[in-house]
Amino acid sequence: MTFKNTLMITACATSAIFAAPTVYQNQVGFLTNGLKQIAVIDGAGKEVSFKDAEGTVALTVKAPEAQAWEPAGKEASLVDFSEIKTPGTYKIFIGDEEVGHPVIISDNAYEGVTKGSLKFFYFQRSSTALEEEYAGEYARAAGHLDTAVRYHASTGHETSTDSTFNGSKGWYDAGDYGKYIVNSGITTYTLLQLYQQNKDYFDTLKLNIPESNNDVPDILDEIRWNLDWMASMQDKDGGVFHKLTTKQFAGMVMPEKVTAPRFAIGKGIEASWNFAAVMALAADIYSPYDSAFADSCAKAAVRARWWAYTHPTEYYEQPRDVGTGTYTNAIVWTLKLWANAELYRITGDKVFTDSLHTLKISSKNASLQSWSNDLMLEAFTIATNPEVFEAADVDTAKALIFALADSYVASLDKNGFGVAMTNNDFFWGSNSVAANKGMVLIHAYILSKDEKYLNAAIGLVDYLLGRNPLDKSYLTGFGVNPVMNPHHRVSQADGIEAPVPGMLSGGPNASANDAGTCRLDYAKDKPPAEAYYDNSCSFASNEVAINWNAPFAYLVGSIQAITATGKAFDVTSKATKTYQLDALPAKKLAARPTNARNRLVVKGNSLRLEMTGADGTKKYYDLRGKKMR
Ligand code: 9MR
């Protein structure tokens, strides 16, 4: 051993002996009857006390042996204080020293973050001014009216400035002002599921938005803002435009300052399948509130699905003159399965399930949902509707969910932070990995009522709200040490120090894909869970996005609702309405028209689909897909 090594070992050992214990914890709140844990560094064997507001010790726990959690690159003792079941604010002591942050225990501990993370969608509204009454100091002028959106050549439309359509409303995707159908798909589904599975709770939850006084639950009013925009993105032939953005990203300015023209860009199967799935689910959920709108969603869903079915090779490709987000390379077979499952659920028509059975899906296919992989969305819908789908499909869907959920629970074994995240999870948007894992776990809980799944989900909430090696609450506006400088144009340009509240930062990203632009090497020599930079330049570790907030809202909203109402979703409930496919405008075509070029033509006095095969032959179908002479 060299002299230098000896010195280093001595230095490390000394710091270990004298280091004050550090505590990482949820900074927002713990549910009265839920799992309560904190991670204590350098505390093994020490007594950890929790003192109430009067200074009385409510509980003392001996910190257990420290265990590693690889992504943090350190060991911690996971201290469980679930025994405290009296609401209040407590302080943590190790010996005489106060450590960590105040511990807040309440029956509604997740209600603030549920509302906050849903209110984010209001703050992301395009095409409207945010009034002070609803937005407080974050009130702002209307931006991106999008009432005269132009067509980019990639849509196949005339590109003249006279040719426009109304693509208003919708949510801005993220820190940028784009509106992207693919990402809206998973986001809107996730929020609709949050409502559908927790109606009792969300029927009365108020978000203080302009529609709060109507008869529709606020969460559905908010989602409707985006659905109206999505509906506007369907072309006359049923296909759906990929996105609505300027050609290049705007500068870091307020929405109303952006003057560059906005375009519908591309039309492809990724957007069309996504749209079909979401509109089918919306048709069911909105039918008690607005049956005309619900019917239009069902029709739009079938038309989009038909277009996607008949244009199987029309993938979106980013045009050369466009630099906004791509959302390309989604796994299309997962989209097809998802959309067909949603359509089958509302119609009961075997046209849709036939295609579900053409692929052999097993638990081996299980992979976490994201904007590019929608297999689990299909699984969630099928597993929670056992009276609608065939038993074999329900079994497969459950196998997919439990394959993932059980692997997350297994990863908690000897895990000092109690967080079901592994080194491989720390890529762009890692916080949405945590939240989406939570969504899988909640489904496993709904299906089994086994507390271990709910507890693992609570561990992920705790991680996102502070039980992480950066002691960071990743939700803006919540916790003692929240994210302050997210990559979010409004927050950067509005002149207010604190960012718009209720936004989940993308989170640590071991690949630091923005290091070049940001001129930082925030991931260098850092364990994955520390590869994060709270700086607005860091779009790859500190942007916000609708598809990241949605699973977070789902996670905290579901746990809060389950706890508040004392019950989880009853999987025996059915779709609210069955739509007759015959009454809808299109049906499966007799032959799969691969490589055909299709267009709608008027022949005689009726509209029909003309399909030109690779050999130039033309075939005609009516709008129900029936072959015509
Ligand atoms: O979330 C997306 C991530 O998975 C991709 O790796 C990344 C690069 O293509 O893009 C992310 O999505 C961004 C989108 O393209 C544009 N709006 C902001 C999104 C979040 O960063």
Side-chain angles (χ1 to χ4, degrees):
M1 184 180 283
T2 63
F3 176 63
K4 196 171 149 206
N5 281 349
T6 318
L7 266 186
M8 272 177 65
I9 287 169
T10 315
C12 291
T14 311
S15 71
I17 291 165
F18 294 111
T22 308
V23 169
Y24 297 119
Q25 62 172 99
N26 175 330
Q27 299 169 13
V28 176
F30 298 86
L31 289 159
T32 312
N33 293 313
L35 180 74
K36 300 177 198 71
Q37 295 177 321
I38 54 174
V40 180
I41 313 289
D42 295 324
K46 294 182 178 152
E47 309 247 287
V48 183
S49 301
F50 297 82
K51 293 188 185 171
D52 65 18
E54 275 79 50
T56 310
V57 175
L59 181 74
T60 300
V61 186
K62 189 167 167 195
E65 192 188 333
Q67 307 280 0
W69 180 48
E70 240 190 290
K74 50 167 81 88
E75 293 188 342
S77 304
L78 195 58
V79 170
D80 192 311
F81 61 104
S82 307
E83 251 181 71
I84 306 183
K85 291 203 159 64
T86 307
T89 301
Y90 298 79
K91 287 179 176 170
I92 311 169
F93 283 82
I94 295 182
D96 291 337
E97 194 184 355
E98 190 184 335
V99 290
H101 309 295
V103 166
I104 298 157
I105 299 179
S106 137
D107 293 350
N108 298 320
Y110 289 7
E111 190 152 295
V113 288
T114 299
K115 286 182 174 180
S117 56
L118 288 172
K119 186 72 179 264
F120 162 71
F121 292 91
Y122 168 73
F123 287 119
Q124 291 293 99
R125 284 188 189 190
S126 157
S127 321
T128 186
L130 303 190
E131 305 295 343
E132 201 184 334
E133 188 181 348
Y134 313 110
E137 62 176 327
Y138 298 97
R140 58 169 170 78
H144 305 91
L145 298 183
D146 288 341
T147 45
V149 176
R150 290 169 58 181
Y151 295 98
H152 187 270
S154 55
T155 58
H157 276 254
E158 267 279 330
T159 57
S160 95
T161 43
D162 301 338
S163 168
T164 60
F165 73 102
N166 185 346
S168 69
K169 298 195 182 175
W171 300 312
Y172 298 132
D173 185 56
D176 67 309
Y177 294 131
K179 302 192 286 199
Y180 306 80
I181 288 289
V182 167
N183 207 37
S184 270
I186 183 168
T187 302
T188 310
Y189 167 91
T190 302
L191 295 177
L192 286 172
Q193 286 292 33
L194 173 61
Y195 172 71
Q196 175 166 253
Q197 295 174 355
N198 303 285
K199 283 187 183 160
D200 286 352
Y201 183 72
F202 285 100
D203 274 343
T204 54
L205 192 81
K206 291 288 177 203
L207 299 175
N208 185 30
I209 55 176
E211 301 80 6
S212 283
N213 292 326
N214 69 13
D215 294 335
V216 180
D218 280 9
I219 184 174
L220 293 188
D221 280 324
E222 192 50 59
I223 298 169
R224 176 79 184 261
W225 189 266
N226 202 52
L227 285 168
D228 285 346
W229 165 68
M230 286 182 78
S232 78
M233 291 289 278
Q234 185 165 40
D235 204 358
K236 292 195 177 55
D237 63 358
V240 179
F241 304 127
H242 192 76
K243 60 179 175 180
L244 192 170
T245 70
T246 45
K247 285 193 182 174
Q248 305 300 333
F249 285 124
M252 295 300 169
V253 296
M254 291 300 278
E256 72 274 16
K257 296 274 192 268
V258 182
T259 51
R262 302 257 280 180
F263 292 84
I265 301 172
K267 180 164 75 177
I269 48 176
E270 301 91 337
S272 300
W273 284 116
N274 254 291
F275 178 101
V278 169
M279 288 296 167
L281 180 57
D284 180 42
I285 290 180
Y286 286 83
S287 71
Y289 296 103
D290 184 342
S291 62
F293 171 68
D295 289 357
S296 73
C297 289
K299 285 183 185 160
V302 174
R303 292 178 66 231
R305 182 261 182 198
W306 194 42
W307 188 93
Y309 185 82
T310 53
H311 297 74
T313 56
E314 303 232 353
Y315 298 96
Y316 173 73
E317 273 176 44
Q318 177 93 324
R320 288 228 178 104
D321 60 339
V322 174
T324 50
T326 55
Y327 289 119
T328 43
N329 297 329
I331 306 172
V332 170
W333 65 264
T334 68
L335 276 165
K336 279 188 205 171
L337 287 182
W338 172 37
N340 282 318
E342 299 300 340
L343 280 159
Y344 178 73
R345 179 169 171 270
I346 62 161
T347 60
D349 198 304
K350 293 260 185 240
V351 157
F352 302 116
T353 40
D354 284 351
S355 72
L356 290 180
H357 299 135
T358 56
L359 286 166
K360 278 266 159 274
I361 307 291
S362 75
S363 58
K364 289 199 189 99
N365 297 99
S367 48
L368 188 64
Q369 68 274 11
S370 68
W371 64 262
S372 62
N373 184 340
D374 301 274
L375 180 62
M376 295 312 292
L377 310 190
E378 180 238 17
F380 296 152
T381 290
I382 295 179
T384 53
N385 288 277
E387 301 198 358
V388 175
F389 292 90
E390 287 176 26
D393 293 329
V394 174
D395 288 348
T396 308
K398 284 187 181 169
L400 286 166
I401 292 168
F402 286 106
L404 291 185
D406 287 333
S407 74
Y408 304 155
V409 170
S411 74
L412 293 175
D413 188 35
K414 301 203 171 74
N415 177 326
F417 274 69
V419 176
M421 294 275 283
T422 63
N423 278 353
N424 296 336
D425 293 327
F426 290 88
F427 48 84
W428 194 321
S430 67
N431 282 342
S432 73
V433 173
N436 274 312
K437 283 186 170 188
M439 186 173 183
V440 172
L441 288 160
I442 299 287
H443 279 87
Y445 176 73
I446 288 172
L447 296 166
S448 68
K449 303 291 182 302
D450 189 331
E451 295 268 326
K452 71 182 177 194
Y453 299 118
L454 197 62
N455 287 342
I458 289 174
L460 289 163
V461 174
D462 288 347
Y463 165 76
L464 292 170
L465 297 179
R467 198 166 79 217
N468 55 62
L470 296 174
D471 188 34
K472 181 68 64 189
S473 165
Y474 287 112
L475 194 71
T476 58
F478 290 86
V480 178
N481 182 25
V483 168
M484 285 303 288
N485 303 297
H487 180 85
H488 181 243
R489 280 170 175 68
V490 172
S491 297
Q492 281 168 256
D494 63 7
I496 302 169
E497 194 188 343
V500 169
M503 308 194 291
L504 184 73
S505 160
N509 176 0
S511 304
N513 315 60
D514 50 13
T517 331
C518 223
R519 290 180 204 280
L520 294 163
D521 47 5
Y522 59 84
K524 194 163 176 267
D525 301 328
K526 294 272 178 60
E530 289 188 17
Y532 168 77
Y533 192 55
D534 187 5
N535 187 306
S536 58
C537 75
S538 185
F539 55 84
S541 85
N542 207 28
E543 188 164 356
V544 304
I546 55 173
N547 65 316
W548 303 340
N549 251 70
F552 179 80
Y554 176 94
L555 175 60
V556 290
S558 299
I559 298 174
Q560 179 63 62
I562 289 168
T563 316
T565 61
K567 57 181 200 290
F569 181 57
D570 174 7
V571 297
T572 59
S573 56
K574 289 193 183 141
T576 53
K577 176 173 175 180
T578 303
Y579 289 86
Q580 296 303 318
L581 193 56
D582 287 347
L584 299 171
K587 210 171 176 177
K588 179 185 166 190
L589 291 169
R592 195 187 166 94
T594 316
N595 294 328
R597 273 189 300 118
N598 313 326
R599 59 187 189 130
L600 281 174
V601 294
V602 179
K603 252 197 149 206
N605 54 4
S606 69
L607 193 64
R608 59 192 67 180
L609 183 75
E610 179 191 78
M611 297 177 40
T612 310
D615 58 358
T617 52
K618 294 191 188 313
K619 290 179 185 157
Y620 294 93
Y621 296 85
D622 73 11
L623 291 182
R624 290 172 177 228
K626 196 167 158 232
K627 192 152 186 274
M628 303 177 81
R629 288 169 160 246

